[in-house]
Amino acid sequence: MTQYLTVLGIVIVVVAVYAASRRMGILAPIPLMITGVILGLTPWINTPGLDPELILFGFLPPLLFVAAQEFSVPAFRLHMRPILLLAVGLVIFTSLAVGFALHAVMPEIPLSAALALGAVVGPPDAVSAIAVARKLGLPRKLVTILEGESLLNDATALVLLRVAVAAAVGEAVGIGGVALTAAQSAGGGLLVGLIAGVVISFLHRRTLYPLLDNAISLITPFAAYYAAELIHGSGVVAVVVTGLYVGHRLPTMMSAASRLQMAAFWKMVVFMLEGAVFVLVGLHINLIVHDLTEPIHVLIGLSALVVGIVIVARFLWIIPASYMTRLFPNRDRDRESLTYPIVLSWAGMRGAITLAAALTLPLYLSDGVTPFPHRTLLIWLAFVTIMATLLLQGTTLPTLVRKLKVKQDDPKMDALAEAAVQHEATRAALVRLEQEITEQPAPQEVVQRLRQGATIRANHAWERLGPEEIETPSDSYRRLRHAMLDTERGVFVSARDEGRIPDEVLTRVQRDMDLEESLLGREHG
């Protein structure tokens, strides 16, 4: 019963805080975490322990899978260099910087343990980065790089953490061993991801029932992650590769009903998981503070040191890399100057994965008796890094974007590209229509209706290029059809209430009207 109430309470908090955040126009992760902290410090609330396996095996796979499915494979190829520089190079650089600095300031923390903390705080959080980028409407190039980085950086960090922990507990670790671990992790994850992608695509193509497609999609991230971990590969890489493979083929390998249902299903899952992650991070503060033994001035000094290095290291890596290695294409250099690198450098919020990774630090060394050195302190430093980066960077990033006058992508360019392709698609569809009626004739009124529908869709795409303040024919159609649907729905509901039609008829008609209304709901522009 207690667990049930805990889950119910977290769900209620997520819904309430998210609704309030939307109303105030602020990013939901920040108030969610603050709410969690307040609840965690409240004496009469029993704070649930946060099992790192719950985050790494329960939350991370579905969140990464959905993000990878929605990520553009062509865009990944185009921006592979900056993505890998951040997801691999920056994580290693930050981990080393934090580890060596912490060991230098507090030598009683072994270098291997300090490097373990560096690996923990090295990767920015996928949930934080994507939420902030989409909320701010950043240029597509920046969003692509941030999303690509957040999809892969966890794999780099977890490999580094595995090696650092092995060294900290007393196992022999050499350069060859590190290279072998990295190769096995990346190679195993890649192999499992490709196999899972092929198998899942095969199953989707042969599944005709939308609920089965949803079930297969739900199983996929957990199966890929667990299979990769069984062979000591990277579960993160496996899930990302599977998501990219399946997402790239999604438009052609399942029915429209399956895609619509799956999109709605995953949207709800991601909404709840993302919110719960930040609440759980905040709730955990009480358990961390309770076990700390270091003086307050030591905690403040070390916290400032780690947070400062995490923030500064990102600048020191990105800004030189943006010029030395062509992080951004030369054609945009004059327009972007330092704007893009600065925004990218400041978008380094940490999240729940950082805390989950910190909690995986072992309790004892290899002898099973000696405690892991300063484990509670390291977990505290990870928690402070999450809090500081979310509160400092997450709250000021919108202001920074406005001050730097970062130009958003011109929606007219998207509309123009859509209109051109829609025109091409309409011509192809009309040619196919002529072929079909040649082979098997159809009533003239049906053919005329299909031709008219194709023309309307093509014209609607071009209408998006017009002034937004003028009501287009498509806008007029949507407005009037909405009013008609409301009236039709009311008639059917009254007929159901009067007993003239059964509920099954209303449900069937209601579904058809809902589908039509959702299509009308597509925003203009």
Side-chain angles (χ1 to χ4, degrees):
M1 190 65 179
T2 302
Q3 292 180 339
Y4 169 78
L5 292 176
T6 299
V7 173
L8 179 61
I10 291 175
V11 171
I12 292 174
V13 168
V14 169
V15 173
V17 174
Y18 187 83
S21 300
R22 283 183 61 87
R23 194 175 187 85
M24 293 184 291
I26 60 178
L27 296 170
I30 298 170
L32 281 169
M33 188 180 65
I34 293 175
T35 303
V37 170
I38 295 173
L39 293 175
L41 294 176
T42 303
W44 59 83
I45 292 181
N46 185 21
T47 303
L50 181 57
D51 184 356
E53 300 295 328
L54 174 64
I55 300 296
L56 295 179
F57 286 90
F59 284 47
L60 183 59
L63 291 175
L64 285 177
F65 180 68
V66 174
Q69 272 198 136
E70 297 175 351
F71 196 69
S72 168
V73 173
F76 180 78
R77 293 172 182 156
L78 178 63
H79 299 290
M80 184 178 294
R81 178 184 296 174
I83 288 173
L84 292 181
L85 277 171
L86 298 180
V88 179
L90 177 56
V91 172
I92 295 174
F93 177 68
T94 304
S95 301
L96 293 176
V98 170
F100 280 102
L102 182 61
H103 177 66
V105 171
M106 195 172 181
E108 52 266 40
I109 299 179
L111 179 59
S112 54
L115 289 173
L117 175 67
V120 164
V121 300
D125 180 54
V127 177
S128 306
I130 294 173
V132 171
R134 291 179 177 173
K135 175 70 176 179
L136 296 179
L138 294 177
R140 187 173 292 117
K141 181 191 301 183
L142 281 178
V143 174
T144 298
I145 294 174
L146 281 173
E147 290 183 344
E149 174 197 8
S150 62
L151 286 175
L152 297 175
N153 56 15
D154 290 328
T156 305
L158 292 177
V159 170
L160 293 176
L161 178 61
R162 189 180 303 173
V163 173
V165 168
V169 299
E171 298 178 11
V173 177
I175 296 178
V178 173
L180 179 61
T181 300
Q184 183 179 13
S185 181
L190 179 61
L191 178 63
V192 170
L194 289 173
I195 294 174
V198 172
V199 172
I200 296 304
S201 298
F202 175 84
L203 294 176
H204 278 309
R205 286 192 178 95
R206 280 150 184 80
T207 302
L208 302 179
Y209 191 40
L211 284 179
L212 288 179
D213 269 324
N214 268 297
I216 292 171
S217 183
L218 176 62
I219 294 169
T220 298
F222 301 105
Y225 193 98
Y226 188 68
E229 292 294 325
L230 280 179
I231 64 171
H232 302 289
S234 170
V236 172
V237 172
V239 171
V240 170
V241 171
T242 304
L244 290 173
Y245 189 97
V246 172
H248 190 59
R249 292 158 177 79
L250 202 60
T252 59
M253 71 180 186
M254 66 178 63
S255 66
S258 292
R259 286 195 299 272
L260 289 172
Q261 192 173 96
M262 189 180 301
F265 167 76
W266 277 120
K267 191 171 185 179
M268 173 58 69
V269 170
V270 169
F271 166 71
M272 293 308 307
L273 290 183
E274 286 182 350
V277 161
F278 288 104
V279 174
L280 287 172
V281 168
L283 281 171
H284 206 71
I285 185 173
N286 186 38
L287 301 179
I288 298 173
V289 172
H290 182 268
D291 294 332
L292 286 172
T293 57
E294 286 76 13
I296 185 66
H297 68 277
V298 173
L299 294 177
I300 293 175
L302 293 179
S303 299
L305 173 71
V306 172
V307 172
I309 291 175
V310 164
I311 293 176
V312 172
R314 192 169 174 88
F315 278 89
L316 293 179
W317 182 266
I318 289 178
I319 292 180
S322 64
Y323 291 92
M324 296 172 61
T325 60
R326 299 181 182 178
L327 190 64
F328 299 104
N330 285 332
R331 63 177 179 272
D332 295 326
R333 185 64 48 78
D334 293 338
R335 179 172 63 86
E336 291 163 359
S337 184
L338 280 174
T339 300
Y340 279 18
I342 289 176
V343 172
L344 199 61
S345 299
W346 196 243
M349 292 74 69
R350 271 60 179 174
I353 307 304
T354 293
L355 182 57
L359 292 174
T360 63
L361 294 175
L363 294 173
Y364 302 100
L365 301 184
S366 57
D367 59 11
V369 177
T370 307
F372 190 91
H374 298 276
R375 181 178 184 271
T376 303
L377 173 61
L378 298 181
I379 294 175
W380 163 259
L381 293 175
F383 179 83
V384 170
T385 302
I386 299 170
M387 291 285 292
T389 53
L390 268 178
L391 293 176
L392 177 61
Q393 296 178 311
T395 56
T396 59
L397 185 58
T399 303
L400 179 66
V401 170
R402 288 194 297 269
K403 292 291 184 181
L404 294 177
K405 298 179 180 179
V406 178
K407 295 182 180 179
Q408 298 183 359
D409 294 323
D410 187 358
K412 296 295 184 183
M413 297 303 297
D414 285 347
L416 180 61
E418 179 186 348
V421 176
Q422 182 63 64
H423 180 71
E424 181 182 343
T426 300
R427 291 177 58 185
L430 292 175
V431 170
R432 177 64 180 271
L433 175 63
E434 296 301 326
Q435 293 173 351
E436 291 292 329
I437 62 177
T438 300
E439 297 175 1
Q440 184 176 353
Q444 187 59 36
E445 59 270 20
V446 173
V447 175
Q448 186 59 33
R449 183 181 175 187
L450 290 170
R451 287 174 177 159
Q452 185 179 13
T455 303
I456 289 174
R457 281 192 298 275
N459 291 340
H460 174 57
W462 289 108
E463 287 173 2
R464 293 166 184 261
L465 296 171
E468 294 186 3
E469 61 273 10
I470 298 177
E471 186 178 59
T472 66
S474 296
D475 292 333
S476 300
Y477 176 85
R478 278 195 295 271
R479 175 173 54 82
L480 297 173
R481 186 56 184 147
H482 270 300
M484 293 172 66
L485 284 171
D486 286 341
T487 302
E488 290 179 30
R489 187 178 291 110
V491 171
F492 272 97
V493 171
S494 297
R496 187 273 313 271
D497 293 342
E498 295 168 3
R500 291 187 287 145
I501 60 172
D503 278 298
E504 290 79 5
V505 171
L506 175 62
T507 300
R508 184 169 61 250
V509 174
Q510 179 70 51
R511 182 177 183 276
D512 292 339
M513 288 191 291
D514 287 345
L515 288 173
E516 183 179 355
E517 191 165 8
S518 65
L519 182 62
L520 292 173
R522 185 181 180 189
E523 293 183 1
H524 176 69

